[in-house]
């Protein structure tokens, strides 16, 4: 049984969903040097023009030709960086997304007027905005379009089955052909790689990312993780380290989302600063609650912490106890929408012990719940109906 649940995933910021080379428009040699340096830091090779490409000839810029000559045009560039000196020359260009006005004069009172005139999304002042600008350019290099639909799963009470549901959601999404990353956010759990039968699989684990502070490359992250059952999984190793700084959590989850597709995060019940960084990036949190009063009371305390950060929290009722509460009553007591009910699946623990991950059997109750959830979540608008 699956009820409507979720929120739409955001669209990409650029004009094009594919990767490509950014377009720089400026005649300021100092600003150009800065922008070329930042492009190099992001791994991008830009096109450079003195004016809108279609308004120049083939010799209108350094290192680039106009759009008709095989270079990049105003409309086709995935990102356009307009120097403050070139704003007047760009005013007549067609309006589009992905245009940024870049300059170095922090005290210019007319900069916002010029930004409006050219339809810029933001005004970026160097050197303060260098880190942000490198991120924007790197998104273009990686081909960032629509970010992944990010779903967190958290247990409302101990033993609720949140890790099992998170694993099954990831397995079913991958089998449906979605690019899928499963992230183990609970350092004190048993390990999602173990649940997938891949504790010895080659690839990086959370401790390898503990020192991450800035941007993590989305492609490099995906390729570095173990691949199990057609999905990538970021789990914990068997060592003693159980702490990853909040900044590293933020960077890694952001990188996972930039690759598109689906990201599923198994969350611990305690919301600390690092978990809050993850919750802030999720489109939806599914809270798994057994259908009995004691579990609902515990889930109320968990929900209070999650709601302080998460945008959308929904309830999944796991099984029914004799004389217990029905799913609608559980959701009502918690003051959250009901995402559905997952009956207890007979024989699942034994199959997992033999190496079969949760959700692998398409005819099981768990797989049916997950398939129904993703059918709603990954429709044409990539959003889950409320």
């Amino acid at each position: 049984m699956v009820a409507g649940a979720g929120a739409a995933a955001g669209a990409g910021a650029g004009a094009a969903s594919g990767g490509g080379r950014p377009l720089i428009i400026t005649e300021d040699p100092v600003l150009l040097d800065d922008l070329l340096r930042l492009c190099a830091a992001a791994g991008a090779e830009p096109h450079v023009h003195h004016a809108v490409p279609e308004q120049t000839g083939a010799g209108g810029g350094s290192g680039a030709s106009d759009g008709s000559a095989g270079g990049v045009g105003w409309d086709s560039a995935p990102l356009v960086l307009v120097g403050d000196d070139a704003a007047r020359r760009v005013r007549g260009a067609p309006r589009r997304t992905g245009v940024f006005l870049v300059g170095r004069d922090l005290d210019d009172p007319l900069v916002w007027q010029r930004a409006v005139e050219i339809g810029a999304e933001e005004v970026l002042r160097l050197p303060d905005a260098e880190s942000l600008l490198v991120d924007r350019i790197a998104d273009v290099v990686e081909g960032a379009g629509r970010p992944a639909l990010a779903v967190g799963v958290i247990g409302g009470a101990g033993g609720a089955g949140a890790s099992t549901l998170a694993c099954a959601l990831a397995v079913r999404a991958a089998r449906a052909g979605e690019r899928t990353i499963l992230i183990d956010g609970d350092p004190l759990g048993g390990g999602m790689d173990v649940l997938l039968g891949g504790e010895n699989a080659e690839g990086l684990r959370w401790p390898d990312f503990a020192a991450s502070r800035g941007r993590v490359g989305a492609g490099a992250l995906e390729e570095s993780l173990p691949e199990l059952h057609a999905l990538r999984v970021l789990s914990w190793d068997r060592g003693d380290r159980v702490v990853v700084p909040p900044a590293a959590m933020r960077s890694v989850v952001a990188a996972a989302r930039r690759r598109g597709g689906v990201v599923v995060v198994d969350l611990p019940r305690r919301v600390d600063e690092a978990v809050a960084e993850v919750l802030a990036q999720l489109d939806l949190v599914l809270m798994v609650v057994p259908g009995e009063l004691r579990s609902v009371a515990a889930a109320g305390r968990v929900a209070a912490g999650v709601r302080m950060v998460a945008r959308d929290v929904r309830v999944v009722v796991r099984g029914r106890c004799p004389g217990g509460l029905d799913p609608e009553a559980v959701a009502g007591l918690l003051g959250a929408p009901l995402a559905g009910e997952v009956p207890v699946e007979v024989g699942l623990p034994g199959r997992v012990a033999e190496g079969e991950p949760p959700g692998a059997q398409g005819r099981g109750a768990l797989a049916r719940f997950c398939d129904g959830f993703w059918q709603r979540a990954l429709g044409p608008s990539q959003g889950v109906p409320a």
Side-chain angles (χ1 to χ4, degrees):
M1 168 183 173
V2 181
S17 60
R21 295 170 61 181
L23 171 64
I24 296 174
I25 302 177
T26 183
E27 284 187 304
D28 182 339
V30 176
L31 179 61
L32 178 58
D33 284 346
D34 285 336
L35 293 178
L36 291 176
R37 171 175 55 83
L38 296 177
C39 285
E45 183 181 353
H47 293 270
V48 181
H49 279 269
H50 296 159
V52 176
E54 286 83 358
Q55 296 176 354
T56 71
S62 58
S65 59
D66 65 16
S68 63
V72 65
W74 172 267
D75 291 327
S76 61
L79 182 72
V80 180
L81 306 176
V82 180
D84 206 8
D85 65 293
R88 287 194 180 93
R89 299 194 297 277
V90 172
R91 274 189 301 196
R95 293 300 175 100
R96 52 153 291 169
T97 59
V99 176
F100 298 89
L101 185 62
V102 187
R104 303 190 63 86
D105 185 358
L106 301 176
D107 300 320
D108 184 355
L110 299 179
V111 64
W112 298 106
Q113 178 181 333
R114 293 194 293 275
V116 171
E117 289 173 347
I118 68 172
E121 290 185 10
E122 291 184 56
V123 175
L124 303 177
R125 313 307 286 173
L126 304 181
D128 293 354
E130 285 192 356
S131 178
L132 173 61
L133 188 50
V134 169
D135 283 351
R136 296 283 191 178
I137 298 168
D139 282 342
V140 171
V141 176
E142 293 178 344
R146 185 188 295 274
L149 182 65
V151 177
V153 185
I154 190 168
S163 296
T164 298
L165 178 57
C167 186
L169 283 168
V171 168
R172 300 311 299 176
R175 293 198 175 188
E178 293 293 328
R179 169 183 272 144
T180 305
I181 295 181
L182 174 61
I183 297 177
D184 187 351
D186 186 359
L188 300 181
M192 297 304 287
D193 55 351
V194 176
L195 199 53
L196 286 163
E199 59 269 28
N200 295 319
E202 293 186 2
L204 300 184
R205 267 65 173 184
W206 264 121
D208 298 304
F209 296 96
S212 302
R213 292 295 183 273
R215 179 189 178 89
V216 174
L221 171 69
E222 183 179 36
E223 292 171 5
S224 72
L225 300 179
E227 184 173 7
L228 302 167
H229 302 280
L231 61 92
R232 298 284 181 167
V233 58
L234 175 55
S235 190
W236 301 83
D237 62 12
R238 313 282 83 85
D240 296 332
R241 186 178 189 121
V242 295
V243 176
V244 171
M249 280 279 191
R250 179 175 61 250
S251 297
V252 169
V253 174
R257 291 206 66 197
R258 287 197 302 273
R259 291 298 279 174
V262 164
V263 173
V264 179
V265 185
D266 181 41
L267 296 163
R269 292 171 59 209
R270 180 175 177 271
V271 180
D272 57 18
E273 189 177 352
V275 174
E277 291 285 359
V278 178
L279 287 170
Q281 298 191 60
L282 299 179
D283 297 296
L284 169 68
V285 176
L286 298 176
M287 186 165 60
V288 186
V289 186
E292 50 95 14
L293 191 58
R294 188 163 177 260
S295 295
V296 174
R301 293 188 291 271
V302 176
V306 173
R307 283 195 185 105
M308 293 178 66
V309 187
R311 291 181 292 228
D312 191 352
V313 181
R314 308 263 168 153
V315 174
V316 175
V317 177
R318 185 74 185 271
R320 294 195 188 187
C321 300
L325 302 167
D326 61 44
E328 290 77 11
V330 172
L333 288 170
L334 293 171
L338 179 65
E341 177 187 3
V342 181
V344 173
E345 191 168 313
V346 177
L348 178 60
R351 294 198 301 271
V352 170
E354 294 174 358
E356 178 184 292
Q361 289 206 358
R363 296 184 301 274
L366 186 58
R368 288 197 301 272
F369 171 88
C370 296
D371 289 346
F373 175 83
W374 290 127
Q375 284 171 10
R376 295 171 181 266
L378 299 171
S381 62
Q382 191 161 346
V384 188

